[in-house]
Amino acid sequence: MNTGTTKPKGIGMAATMLLATLLIAAVIVPVMGAIQEDAKERRDRVIGTPWTSSEMDRLSKLDTDQLLALAEQNETVRKLVEEDRKVGDMQIESLEDLLCLPPNYPGNITLIGNRSALQSGRSTVTVNVWIVADEEYRSYFGSNWQNTAHNTIESADNAFYSDHEINFVVGKYSEWDSDDSVHDGRLLDEAQEETGWNNNQQGMDMMAVFTNQQTDHRGWSEPLGDAWIMKHQISSSWDWHLAQHEASHNYDCPDHGYVGPYCIMTYTYMFVTDGWCSCCDQTIEDNRDHF
């Protein structure tokens, strides 16, 4: 005769299901927390430069196919695009800047001196730049994409050179096929990953990424980091201003918003000046040897 207590049916299965649920929760919750933390870290890691509601920004937001299609219908836009795709003259700081310049550069090249460096007596800091361009940027500029991107970097470093004896020297070009479904700061992550930047910078110091697909910001940069990305702005002048702005974030210069000092880090003035406010100048000096 069995005098033991009979276990009710279903209790074993229920206990098993409860234990499985607890185990799954123990795994999923930390993973979801890690995903949310990764997203937060990405937001904290990059600073986005916003668009405005101007007509020029409306055009700059368009990707290559959209812009060229509009140019076929609108004569004003066609002339803008035609002028935009011309390669302008270039100012270089040293003969070293010519080492990675594509052959047969179509514009004039001028070697400029640096009175500030001569007066200060300190040596120039060289920052080796790796240019990466996606298929939309390369398609828009065609065979001149390297010349155009190189000129943008050379124009962006003029103030760095004259004010802080920092010289950006292009040392490498790479092609990159951007994910057309991504329009935010993840594009910078994608370019870094696909080029292997995070594992091997191949002797370069700064990565400058160029895209011409639609983005929800003009560009993004890593504060005190080593990389930034920008959307082409339908103007070579706007491009190098934006490049200087994004590169300044790598030296830890903050954005000043729309109401701020007369500084390239203030959105209102970023396309009309190449100068920094006194605070940003000091920040760059403090981080002059960042690279």
Side-chain angles (χ1 to χ4, degrees):
M1 179 176 179
N2 186 1
T3 58
T5 304
T6 302
K7 184 184 296 183
K9 294 181 179 179
I11 292 296
M13 180 61 70
T16 300
M17 291 297 294
L18 176 61
L19 178 59
T21 301
L22 292 174
L23 288 174
I24 292 172
V27 173
I28 290 180
V29 171
V31 170
M32 291 302 295
I35 292 174
Q36 294 172 355
E37 184 65 24
D38 286 346
K40 181 179 184 299
E41 287 180 0
R42 182 180 294 111
R43 289 194 300 271
D44 292 342
R45 183 176 62 79
V46 296
I47 295 177
T49 304
W51 295 102
T52 68
S53 58
S54 71
E55 184 67 15
M56 284 294 285
D57 270 12
R58 186 183 73 83
L59 291 175
S60 290
K61 284 182 179 180
L62 301 178
D63 63 28
T64 294
D65 291 342
Q66 293 170 328
L67 185 57
L68 296 183
L70 183 60
E72 291 181 357
Q73 304 169 12
N74 186 297
E75 180 65 12
T76 301
V77 175
R78 186 192 68 78
K79 291 181 178 179
L80 277 173
V81 169
E82 186 178 280
E83 186 65 26
D84 183 35
R85 293 163 115 180
K86 292 180 180 178
V87 180
D89 296 338
M90 179 187 295
Q91 289 185 335
I92 62 173
E93 291 75 31
S94 69
L95 295 179
E96 188 179 14
D97 292 303
L98 297 175
L99 294 179
C100 206
L101 184 68
N104 303 317
Y105 184 81
N108 295 316
I109 300 174
T110 304
L111 178 64
I112 61 175
N114 190 347
R115 294 179 180 177
S116 174
L118 292 175
Q119 293 172 354
S120 68
R122 63 181 180 179
S123 59
T124 299
V125 174
T126 297
V127 178
N128 297 297
V129 179
W130 183 344
I131 288 176
V132 180
D134 72 357
E135 69 276 23
E136 285 87 0
Y137 186 91
R138 302 193 312 271
S139 173
Y140 183 74
F141 288 106
S143 61
N144 274 325
W145 77 265
Q146 291 183 351
N147 289 321
T148 304
H150 195 136
N151 200 347
T152 297
I153 297 299
E154 283 301 331
S155 297
D157 84 338
N158 286 347
F160 278 100
Y161 187 69
S162 62
D163 297 356
H164 301 285
E165 295 85 48
I166 297 171
N167 185 25
F168 296 165
V169 176
V170 176
K172 185 176 175 62
Y173 304 93
S174 287
E175 299 179 0
W176 156 60
D177 290 333
S178 54
D179 186 337
D180 293 342
S181 67
V182 178
H183 308 286
D184 55 29
R186 289 175 296 172
L187 286 169
L188 180 57
D189 297 327
E190 182 186 317
Q192 290 173 297
E193 181 178 350
E194 291 192 13
T195 56
W197 173 259
N198 295 326
N199 298 320
N200 184 0
Q201 297 183 357
Q202 300 186 40
M204 300 295 105
D205 303 305
M206 175 189 289
M207 172 167 280
V209 184
F210 295 81
T211 181
N212 203 34
Q213 74 176 43
Q214 285 188 312
T215 58
D216 61 17
H217 282 69
R218 294 184 192 275
W220 297 266
S221 183
E222 301 172 342
L224 269 185
D226 55 18
W228 50 268
I229 183 172
M230 58 168 282
K231 164 72 170 70
H232 173 57
Q233 302 289 294
I234 200 174
S235 165
S236 60
S237 174
W238 281 27
D239 265 14
W240 72 254
H241 277 92
L242 179 57
Q244 182 183 338
H245 176 99
E246 301 300 350
S248 297
H249 282 312
N250 281 172
Y251 287 90
D252 210 26
C253 292
D255 281 329
H256 299 316
Y258 292 96
V259 181
Y262 192 69
C263 176
I264 198 168
M265 306 310 292
T266 302
Y267 303 141
T268 307
Y269 308 121
M270 65 181 294
F271 293 121
V272 295
T273 182
D274 66 349
W276 296 276
C277 63
S278 58
C279 289
C280 285
D281 268 324
Q282 186 58 55
T283 297
I284 295 173
E285 279 297 308
D286 291 343
N287 298 302
R288 182 171 175 265
D289 296 317
H290 171 58
F291 292 102

